[in-house]
């Protein structure tokens, strides 16, 4: 009876957190689509997708792998409270340094020479994502995962309110409206970090920072490269959407990838909720059947829902049904398999075998580049096939590696 009660409590907590997380992700998901529907400007919409894509490719290269290493150290150390405190101290110092560097880059762009049209928004978006990803890890380990969600809800809801106000009062649209909430939070967290550093009574010294960053890099460098490769593959199309595709093809790619984000957001919500349980499991070679099947159930539900929504959208908006449907299925399928692939990768990180993740990413990247380079078909079709084949092949190889390493589902 007690076990049943505990399971019900766990599921209630999971559903409550996922509902809150979905509300947050719904705002993020809808903002670019609302811009497209309200202001009817496809170029602006593609610019927003471009900024988002550049951001997720940059993030793995500048966060030092702190969030991933955070979970690994937390699992393997007895003084967990001190560990959490040290990571927060280090991250806030890294955040201040990166904020200053971002400010310098913006200054160079506007005073010396222009090198990126959207540099202001890219820098602000990078700092925002950097902070919220770390805070998500921090609040999850301190058993308050909903607090990170409140941060992003408030930031993105602020942008949504500005967006609606611009539309209702017929004000000419400007890109900063989309990013205003993120800019405000980034500035707030920067001053919060500076304040904590200046008034740090314990005097967290430079040597401690260097040791922790060195340990983080030694642990995370394969993951950093691996995540960069995977993000580059997924976002390659949208990073070239303004230069190598027609507007119609660019909108198709961006919209279908945005629809399929619901699958990824389902993965992210579940990941944030279950990652601590996976990392604290004593048996390194055990994949819990109950947790994995629950994950697959939610993810498959999201897949079916998105296939239906995308199908309805295609029927209503396109006449070339066969071409658009094939491209859409490839893109959505790639997202679904990429999520399962990412779930299984957690087990390599848990046993400190991140080098395996790097080899898998290199394998995936090699297939992607080969298809992009050698296959001579339209750019959009080529990207869709390359993303799907490289991801699915890497998933199969990952399953084989886990099998050879004697992982068991129980």
């Amino acid at each position: 009876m007690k076990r049943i009660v505990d399971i019900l409590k766990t599921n209630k907590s999971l559903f409550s957190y996922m509902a809150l997380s979905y509300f947050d992700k719904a705002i993020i998901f809808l903002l670019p689509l609302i811009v497209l529907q309200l202001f009817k400007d496809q170029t602006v919409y593609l610019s927003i997708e471009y900024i988002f894509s550049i951001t997720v490719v940059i993030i793995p290269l500048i966060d030092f792998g702190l969030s991933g290493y955070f979970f690994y150290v937390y699992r393997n150390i007895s003084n967990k409270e001190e560990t959490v405190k040290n990571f927060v101290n280090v991250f806030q110092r890294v955040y201040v340094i990166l904020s200053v560097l971002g400010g310098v880059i913006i200054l160079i762009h506007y005073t010396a020479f222009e090198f990126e049209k959207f540099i202001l928004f890219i820098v602000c978006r990078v700092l925002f994502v950097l902070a919220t990803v770390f805070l998500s890890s921090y609040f999850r380990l301190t058993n308050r995962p909903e607090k990170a969600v409140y941060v992003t809800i408030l930031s993105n809801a602020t942008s949504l309110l500005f967006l609606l106000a611009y539309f209702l009062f017929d004000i000419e649209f400007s890109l900063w409206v989309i990013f205003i909430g993120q800019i405000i939070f980034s500035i707030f967290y920067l001053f919060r970090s500076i304040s904590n550093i200046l008034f740090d009574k314990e005097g967290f010294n430079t040597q401690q920072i260097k040791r922790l960053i060195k340990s983080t890099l030694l642990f995370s460098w394969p993951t950093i490269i691996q995540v960069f490769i995977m993000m580059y593959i997924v976002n390659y199309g949208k990073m070239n959407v303004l230069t190598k595709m027609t507007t119609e093809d660019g909108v198709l790619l961006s919209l279908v990838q945005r629809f399929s984000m619901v699958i990824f957001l389902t993965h992210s919500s579940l990941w944030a909720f279950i990652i601590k349980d996976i990392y604290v499991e004593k048996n390194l070679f055990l994949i819990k059947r109950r947790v994995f099947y629950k994950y697959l159930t939610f993810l498959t539900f999201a897949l079916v829902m998105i296939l239906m929504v995308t199908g309805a959208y295609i029927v209503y908006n396109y006449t070339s049904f066969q071409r658009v449907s094939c491209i859409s299925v490839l893109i959505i399928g790639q997202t679904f398999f990429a999520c399962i692939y990412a779930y299984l990768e957690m087990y390599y990180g848990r046993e400190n075998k991140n080098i395996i993740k790097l080899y898998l990413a290199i394998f995936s990247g090699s297939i992607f580049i080969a298809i992009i380079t050698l296959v001579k078909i339209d750019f959009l079709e080529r990207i869709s096939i390359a993303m799907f084949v490289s991801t699915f092949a890497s998933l199969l190889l990952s399953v084989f590696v886990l099998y050879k390493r004697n992982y068991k589902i129980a």
Side-chain angles (χ1 to χ4, degrees):
M1 184 67 182
K2 184 179 184 299
R3 178 173 175 76
I4 295 175
V5 172
D6 290 339
I7 292 173
L8 289 174
K9 285 182 178 179
T10 301
N11 285 335
K12 181 180 179 181
S13 179
L14 173 60
F15 282 117
S16 176
Y17 173 77
M18 284 195 63
L20 189 63
S21 183
Y22 260 111
F23 176 69
D24 168 45
K25 302 303 188 293
I27 300 175
I28 300 171
F29 171 79
L30 290 172
L31 273 174
L33 298 180
I34 292 173
V35 171
L36 180 62
Q37 291 302 312
L38 294 184
F39 297 94
K40 308 298 182 184
D41 192 328
Q42 293 185 336
T43 303
V44 168
Y45 169 70
L46 293 179
S47 298
I48 295 170
E49 295 287 10
Y50 168 80
I51 293 168
F52 283 8
S53 299
I54 292 290
T55 299
V56 297
V57 173
I58 292 173
I59 287 292
L61 299 177
I62 63 173
D63 77 340
F64 298 103
L66 278 168
S67 295
Y69 188 56
F70 198 174
F71 280 97
Y72 176 76
V73 172
Y74 187 89
R75 177 183 183 274
N76 292 283
I77 203 164
S78 56
N79 192 346
K80 299 187 185 306
E81 185 176 338
E82 185 67 22
T83 297
V84 170
K85 184 178 180 181
N86 287 341
F87 269 89
V88 171
N89 283 330
V90 169
F91 176 77
Q92 289 185 339
R93 283 159 174 79
V94 169
Y95 187 81
V96 171
I97 293 170
L98 292 175
S99 297
V100 172
L101 289 176
V104 170
I105 291 171
I106 292 171
L107 189 64
I108 291 172
H109 172 81
Y110 286 107
T111 58
F113 62 94
E114 295 184 359
F115 53 89
E116 168 56 60
K117 180 180 179 181
F118 303 112
I119 189 63
L120 174 63
F121 305 115
I122 291 172
V123 169
C124 292
R125 174 73 179 169
V126 164
L127 292 173
F128 175 77
V129 174
L130 199 65
T132 52
V133 167
F134 181 81
L135 288 174
S136 178
S137 299
Y138 167 73
F139 286 123
R140 184 66 193 98
L141 288 177
T142 54
N143 294 316
R144 297 173 294 170
E146 70 284 350
K147 287 203 170 185
V149 180
Y150 293 147
V151 169
T152 51
I153 286 177
L154 181 60
S155 300
N156 291 303
T158 300
S159 294
L160 179 60
L161 289 175
F162 270 87
L163 181 62
L164 294 176
Y166 264 59
F167 175 74
L168 292 174
F169 293 101
D170 198 24
I171 304 172
E172 184 179 354
F173 179 79
S174 176
L175 267 178
W176 75 268
V177 176
I178 288 291
F179 299 96
I180 182 63
Q182 300 173 28
I183 294 171
I184 292 171
F185 174 77
S186 298
I187 294 172
F188 166 79
Y189 193 73
L190 172 61
F191 282 106
R192 174 75 177 272
S193 298
I194 293 173
S195 175
N196 289 343
I197 293 169
L198 292 177
F199 295 100
D200 182 7
K201 296 179 181 179
E202 297 183 12
F204 195 76
N205 61 56
T206 306
Q207 291 303 315
Q208 287 176 296
I209 297 174
K210 288 181 178 178
R211 281 197 299 270
L212 185 50
I213 289 180
K214 181 180 178 180
S215 299
T216 301
L217 288 174
L218 287 173
F219 173 83
S220 300
W221 72 265
T223 302
I224 292 171
I225 300 173
Q226 174 255 341
V227 173
F228 169 76
I229 293 172
M230 299 310 295
M231 289 299 100
Y232 183 80
I233 289 173
V234 173
N235 292 279
Y236 180 81
K238 288 193 288 187
M239 288 191 297
N240 291 280
V241 74
L242 297 173
T243 56
K244 294 185 178 180
M245 275 187 263
T246 64
T247 301
E248 184 179 82
D249 277 0
V251 170
L252 173 62
L253 171 68
S254 299
L255 280 175
V256 175
Q257 282 199 308
R258 183 147 292 275
F259 289 157
S260 65
M261 264 184 64
V262 173
I263 301 171
F264 175 74
L265 296 176
T266 302
H267 161 82
S268 299
S269 298
L270 291 165
W271 180 87
F273 191 85
I274 65 180
I275 187 170
K276 181 180 177 181
D277 293 333
I278 290 175
Y279 266 80
V280 299
E281 169 62 43
K282 299 300 182 183
N283 187 348
L284 288 178
F285 297 95
L286 174 67
I287 299 175
K288 288 186 176 180
R289 179 185 287 110
R290 180 178 58 84
V291 175
F292 184 53
Y293 285 0
K294 182 182 293 185
Y295 168 83
L296 283 180
T297 299
F298 279 104
L299 203 68
T300 303
F301 176 78
L303 170 68
V304 172
M305 182 175 66
I306 292 310
L307 286 172
M308 292 172 61
V309 170
T310 304
Y313 174 81
I314 291 171
V315 169
Y316 184 77
N317 291 281
Y318 290 92
T319 54
S320 53
F321 182 80
Q322 185 175 357
R323 173 181 182 260
V324 174
S325 296
C326 290
I327 290 170
S328 300
V329 169
L330 288 171
I331 293 171
I332 294 170
Q334 185 274 334
T335 304
F336 178 75
F337 290 125
C339 289
I340 299 174
Y341 175 57
Y343 179 94
L344 296 177
E345 277 189 331
M346 285 190 287
Y347 293 95
Y348 301 127
R350 190 179 67 175
E351 58 168 316
N352 195 14
K353 294 295 181 180
N354 289 326
I355 193 67
I356 297 176
K357 296 161 66 174
L358 176 58
Y359 293 149
L360 289 169
I362 292 173
F363 173 75
S364 180
S366 299
I367 294 176
F368 180 82
I369 292 172
I371 295 174
I372 289 292
T373 306
L374 300 176
V375 178
K376 303 302 179 182
I377 55 177
D378 286 347
F379 191 67
L380 180 55
E381 279 88 337
R382 205 184 329 155
I383 291 172
S384 304
I385 293 171
M387 286 194 303
F388 180 86
V389 172
S390 60
T391 300
F392 187 65
S394 298
L395 172 60
L396 293 179
L397 181 58
S398 182
V399 171
F400 176 75
V401 170
L402 289 170
Y403 171 76
K404 295 299 288 185
R405 293 183 63 78
N406 295 316
Y407 271 81
K408 306 293 182 184
I409 297 179

